[in-house]
Amino acid sequence: MLKFFNRLEKTRNFVLLVFAILMVGSLVFFYTPARNTFTTNLSTSDEAAAKVGGEKVTAGEIVRKKDEYSQYGMGRSFPAKMVLDGLIGSRIARIEADRLGLTASDAEVADALRQQLKKPDGTSVDQETYKQNAIDRAGSVAAFEQGIRDDLSAKKLEAYITSGVTVSEQEVLDDFNRKNTKFDVSYIAVSSADLAKKIEPTDAELRDYFDKNKASYYISVPQKKVKYIFIDTNKLGQKMQISDADLKAEWDKVPEDKRSARVVGQEIVLKVAKPGDDATVQQRANDIVQELKKNGATTVSEEDFSRIAKGRSENPVSAAKGGALSGPVTENPSKPDDPYQRLLKMKPGEITEPISYQSRYFILRRGDDVPKTFENAKKELEVSLRNRKAYSAAAELAQKIDDALKQTKDINKVAQQFAGEANMSPADMIKETGYVKPGDNVQGIGVSPQFEAGIEPLEQANDVGDKTPIPNGFAIPMLVDRKEPRDAEFDEVKAQIVDVVKAEKARAQMEQIARDIASGATNPGALAAAATAHGLASKDQKAFTLGSPLGEGPTAGTNQELEDALYAMKSGDVSKTPFKIGDNYYVVGVTNRQEPNPGDFAKQRSSLLEQMLTTRRSAVFSDYMEALRRKMESDGSIKVYKDVLTKIDGQDQDLAPGGSEDNS
């Protein structure tokens, strides 16, 4: 334990009290179950994974930090190198603080521990619990307390380095005006996909492309032509009767904690104006997360999150409401990358780590469930139950059809025999593919590894495969013909070539078309006519604010060039040149410009000053630390042992002694 306890504490009881206070900490996993044996062994390893100016970073530190990140990240595994980068930064801060005489004193550490490590109810824990949890967290009590000292020292270092950083009133006002000016815009998005729809390449162009790229279309594996009997689960499901009693029985099986249709949430959004700002914005987001998780809290109150969202979130719509989302979040399997879907897997009050998505960083907080009742769940229950019953019935019927087809080899007869049971006509049940190979998009099926595996054993005409799951049902395949590897013929790849040639011609034309539109439209009203002349359509976006994505769908976006130009435009102006954002070119006109309310600035002035000052100080300190790191890397003061990182990531063996040095 720290020597200062001997100087500060006079009685045994007071020492025990301090030990008890230390228990709480800023460590969520003080209250988590023990790790498995293998992870525990790794977490105590003292082997060097890196050395920073003589300071060692151990494998055990990395493993423990990985475990912490995994809990904050809802089970996501973080690479050892990513975790090590953060620990190296901490060591650099320790060394620099010591060089400048800014290392936190024993008294400061003791005071921080007393403030941080109080339980919410004001009670304290016993000394042994504190010691054990400190060991679980940092490997030893001394290492845990050193971590507290490092955090305090880093804050003192940042305060010292950024003490001269200032912002002017005019800078804050300019930033407020830029972020809160609203534009009603008309725009034309010139995309290669849209242009390609209008292009009709000639046969001569297609043949010319094929002749020049014939080698690319060599068919290196056998092709198979297949007939198959299709059993449609939807058709089967239509025959099934689902009663209210069946639905009530399903509802009774749903656990209480699953009876929620939606969840409410809050957000803090930080915008990345240009790619070079990503690291700085990410650091700002990390700082906000750490501030929200003060004292090691595992949850954040709605009020605390709202306060920071109002002052720092860069989505003006949700920020004004304390980060509250416009409506509850519902599950949407078609959008797995949507950051809001993360809320559904969280517990009330939990927040995410910063999530990078579409040139923005999101910090999300999960609120309460929106309860679901039997009545509003009936439709969902019926769909689920009908689908399950239909799938089981389809699987059973597919097996019967498979057995019959293998016996008779007569696909028409078998289809007619089972059409009534399948609730389909024989004609609808019998399907035929072209000559296909693995990876091909099969009509009605798509690219299906299951279907490919189902026809893979078929070698001779009339061979019948096993029942195979495909989209919307089952297939029982029978081989019609087979072609060996060979050069493709033009006609059989023509459809593929059409799409390629159309896309190439569209990409070659899109910039010039965008320039023609920009130079020809004298006002926003003229954009519609200019778009129509090129087979495109102009669109409107109301109350657009800088930093928001322009456009629709996944191709929507923004960049610094567009925002600078737009902010300089007045009502009635049209951009004189197009802006390339992602794969699209945009031509933009301003139909109305609404300046911010000066009164709103007066109300927010203090918080905006503090926000900009915090952001600028963070950027200055990040640049300072990055420069220190580059210097230490160049002079060999930072050494990383890659084989140790590999062992940590492997998670399949204990760390062995030794390691080859990597100075990169």
Side-chain angles (χ1 to χ4, degrees):
M1 291 297 294
L2 294 169
K3 294 179 180 178
F4 63 83
F5 279 151
N6 294 328
R7 300 194 296 271
L8 295 178
E9 322 305 341
K10 295 182 179 180
T11 69
R12 178 177 178 277
N13 289 339
F14 193 69
V15 171
L16 290 176
L17 175 61
V18 173
F19 272 116
I21 294 173
L22 289 174
M23 159 58 187
V24 181
S26 60
L27 310 169
V28 61
F29 32 85
F30 269 22
Y31 298 99
T32 59
R35 304 176 185 89
N36 62 48
T37 303
F38 176 67
T39 304
T40 302
N41 290 340
L42 280 177
S43 70
T44 60
S45 172
D46 195 44
E47 183 177 10
K51 290 184 179 178
V52 183
E55 296 275 354
K56 184 167 70 170
V57 179
T58 69
E61 287 180 87
I62 296 174
V63 171
R64 293 189 295 270
K65 187 63 69 173
K66 273 169 64 76
D67 183 60
E68 179 181 350
Y69 286 177
S70 177
Q71 293 185 44
Y72 285 152
M74 295 177 294
R76 174 186 170 193
S77 178
F78 291 81
K81 186 178 187 306
M82 180 187 296
V83 177
L84 175 62
D85 284 342
L87 292 171
I88 287 175
S90 176
R91 291 297 193 278
I92 294 172
R94 179 193 295 180
I95 293 168
E96 185 68 359
D98 183 62
R99 184 182 74 83
L100 296 173
L102 298 172
T103 301
S105 67
D106 288 350
E108 288 171 321
V109 175
D111 182 62
L113 287 170
R114 292 189 184 97
Q115 294 300 318
Q116 288 187 18
L117 307 182
K118 290 181 181 178
K119 296 179 76 173
D121 61 3
T123 61
S124 53
V125 298
D126 62 85
Q127 174 184 350
E128 288 305 316
T129 301
Y130 162 72
K131 289 174 63 176
Q132 184 57 54
N133 286 312
I135 291 170
D136 288 345
R137 169 63 183 94
S140 68
V141 173
F144 169 67
E145 292 169 350
Q146 180 63 53
I148 299 295
R149 191 186 303 276
D150 285 346
D151 289 343
L152 294 172
S153 301
K155 290 177 182 177
K156 293 174 71 174
L157 175 63
E158 180 173 3
Y160 176 78
I161 297 301
T162 64
S163 59
V165 176
T166 60
V167 295
S168 69
E169 179 101 0
Q170 188 61 47
E171 287 178 296
V172 178
L173 178 59
D174 290 344
D175 185 65
F176 173 81
N177 288 334
R178 184 180 176 92
K179 290 179 178 177
N180 291 278
T181 300
K182 295 180 180 179
F183 303 86
D184 291 345
V185 299
S186 288
Y187 68 92
I188 299 173
V190 184
S191 73
S192 60
D194 288 339
L195 291 177
K197 296 174 184 177
K198 311 292 182 181
I199 294 173
E200 293 297 338
T202 65
D203 269 3
E205 289 174 320
L206 298 176
R207 284 190 176 277
D208 180 63
Y209 181 87
F210 175 70
D211 291 340
K212 291 177 179 177
N213 298 275
K214 195 169 185 177
S216 301
Y217 293 94
Y218 178 76
I219 301 170
S220 59
V221 296
Q223 291 175 297
K224 296 178 180 180
K225 188 176 202 177
V226 173
K227 281 188 176 182
Y228 63 93
I229 295 179
F230 174 51
I231 299 93
D232 189 333
T233 54
N234 291 325
K235 293 287 188 181
L236 270 177
Q238 292 170 8
K239 295 173 55 178
M240 296 181 172
Q241 300 298 316
I242 307 292
S243 68
D244 272 5
D246 294 330
L247 298 179
K248 187 61 170 63
E250 286 294 298
W251 176 249
D252 291 340
K253 296 176 187 176
V254 178
E256 286 294 333
D257 62 344
K258 302 297 182 184
R259 294 187 179 188
S260 61
R262 304 165 294 174
V263 300
V264 296
Q266 294 169 277
E267 68 176 2
I268 295 171
V269 182
L270 303 180
K271 299 173 182 176
V272 182
K274 51 185 183 293
D277 294 341
D278 189 274
T280 300
V281 177
Q282 183 181 28
Q283 184 58 52
R284 285 172 52 205
N286 287 332
D287 292 343
I288 290 174
V289 170
Q290 292 304 312
E291 183 176 344
L292 287 166
K293 291 180 176 177
K294 60 186 178 182
N295 301 335
T298 59
T299 59
V300 176
S301 72
E302 181 180 353
E303 293 75 17
D304 285 348
F305 196 94
S306 176
R307 174 177 51 80
I308 293 182
K310 286 180 178 178
R312 302 193 206 176
S313 180
E314 296 173 0
N315 180 343
V317 176
S318 62
K321 300 182 293 183
L325 301 181
S326 58
V329 176
T330 58
E331 185 173 7
N332 189 344
S334 66
K335 293 185 177 181
D337 296 332
D338 182 351
Y340 300 115
Q341 293 290 300
R342 297 273 294 273
L343 294 172
L344 299 168
K345 300 179 181 178
M346 297 164 58
K347 297 177 181 178
E350 287 185 339
I351 65 172
T352 65
E353 77 280 7
I355 304 169
S356 177
Y357 184 72
Q358 294 185 351
S359 299
R360 289 166 290 175
Y361 275 91
F362 291 80
I363 302 166
L364 305 177
R365 176 187 177 275
R366 187 204 196 275
D368 294 328
D369 291 329
V370 178
K372 182 189 295 184
T373 66
F374 172 63
E375 287 303 319
N376 60 35
K378 282 176 69 173
K379 184 62 179 176
E380 181 182 340
L381 290 169
E382 181 181 352
V383 170
S384 175
L385 183 57
R386 189 180 300 278
N387 286 343
R388 292 204 315 273
K389 286 179 172 289
Y391 186 88
S392 297
E396 183 179 342
L397 178 58
Q399 187 59 58
K400 290 162 61 177
I401 293 174
D402 186 67
D403 294 339
L405 187 58
K406 284 177 178 175
Q407 286 184 353
T408 66
K409 307 288 187 178
D410 188 333
I411 197 166
N412 294 307
K413 179 180 178 181
V414 172
Q416 184 148 4
Q417 178 184 349
F418 291 97
E421 197 170 341
N423 197 30
M424 300 173 68
S425 69
D428 288 338
M429 294 178 70
I430 299 175
K431 309 289 184 181
E432 185 171 351
T433 73
Y435 286 93
V436 297
K437 62 184 183 303
D440 281 353
N441 190 333
V442 181
Q443 184 177 5
I445 294 177
V447 179
S448 170
Q450 292 92 341
F451 187 73
E452 291 170 8
I455 67 174
E456 194 273 335
L458 309 182
E459 298 291 340
Q460 304 295 327
N462 294 327
D463 280 355
V464 177
D466 294 333
K467 68 176 183 183
T468 302
I470 61 172
N472 301 316
F474 288 86
I476 297 89
M478 186 170 74
L479 185 65
V480 175
D481 192 22
R482 168 189 171 113
K483 289 184 178 180
E484 297 305 318
R486 61 197 168 80
D487 286 326
E489 298 172 6
F490 171 72
D491 286 340
E492 63 184 320
V493 296
K494 180 179 177 180
Q496 302 174 45
I497 295 174
V498 168
D499 292 337
V500 173
V501 173
K502 288 171 72 170
E504 283 193 354
K505 294 186 71 174
R507 282 193 292 269
Q509 296 174 12
M510 61 187 300
E511 182 177 3
Q512 187 56 53
I513 290 174
R515 290 188 179 280
D516 291 344
I517 292 173
S519 62
T522 56
N523 58 67
L527 282 176
T532 302
H534 291 278
L536 302 172
S538 66
K539 298 179 181 178
D540 297 325
Q541 195 157 328
K542 302 293 185 183
F544 178 82
T545 56
L546 302 187
S548 302
L550 182 67
E552 299 175 344
T555 62
T558 188
N559 60 26
Q560 193 71 38
E561 182 186 13
L562 167 66
E563 293 180 8
D564 289 345
L566 190 58
Y567 190 61
M569 293 166 66
K570 305 184 297 295
S571 295
D573 286 351
V574 174
S575 57
K576 300 304 180 185
T577 58
F579 306 100
K580 191 172 192 302
I581 302 175
D583 294 330
N584 295 347
Y585 283 91
Y586 288 85
V587 182
V588 182
V590 177
T591 57
N592 184 54
R593 173 176 175 140
Q594 181 182 345
E595 304 295 338
N597 184 346
D600 291 339
F601 175 74
K603 294 176 185 177
Q604 302 175 40
R605 175 185 171 280
S606 297
S607 64
L608 292 173
L609 275 167
E610 183 60 31
Q611 179 182 344
M612 180 174 281
L613 187 59
T614 299
T615 300
R616 186 164 296 178
R617 284 173 173 168
S618 177
V620 168
F621 187 62
S622 294
D623 291 344
Y624 180 84
M625 295 299 293
E626 182 60 30
L628 278 178
R629 180 165 185 159
R630 286 196 299 267
K631 180 178 181 300
M632 294 181 73
E633 287 174 339
S634 66
D635 64 20
S637 298
I638 297 177
K639 301 178 176 64
V640 176
Y641 302 101
K642 285 186 174 181
D643 57 342
V644 178
L645 300 184
T646 300
K647 293 174 186 176
I648 294 171
D649 283 331
Q651 295 292 297
D652 56 2
Q653 59 180 343
D654 291 336
L655 290 171
S660 60
E661 185 178 296
D662 170 43
N663 298 326
S664 61

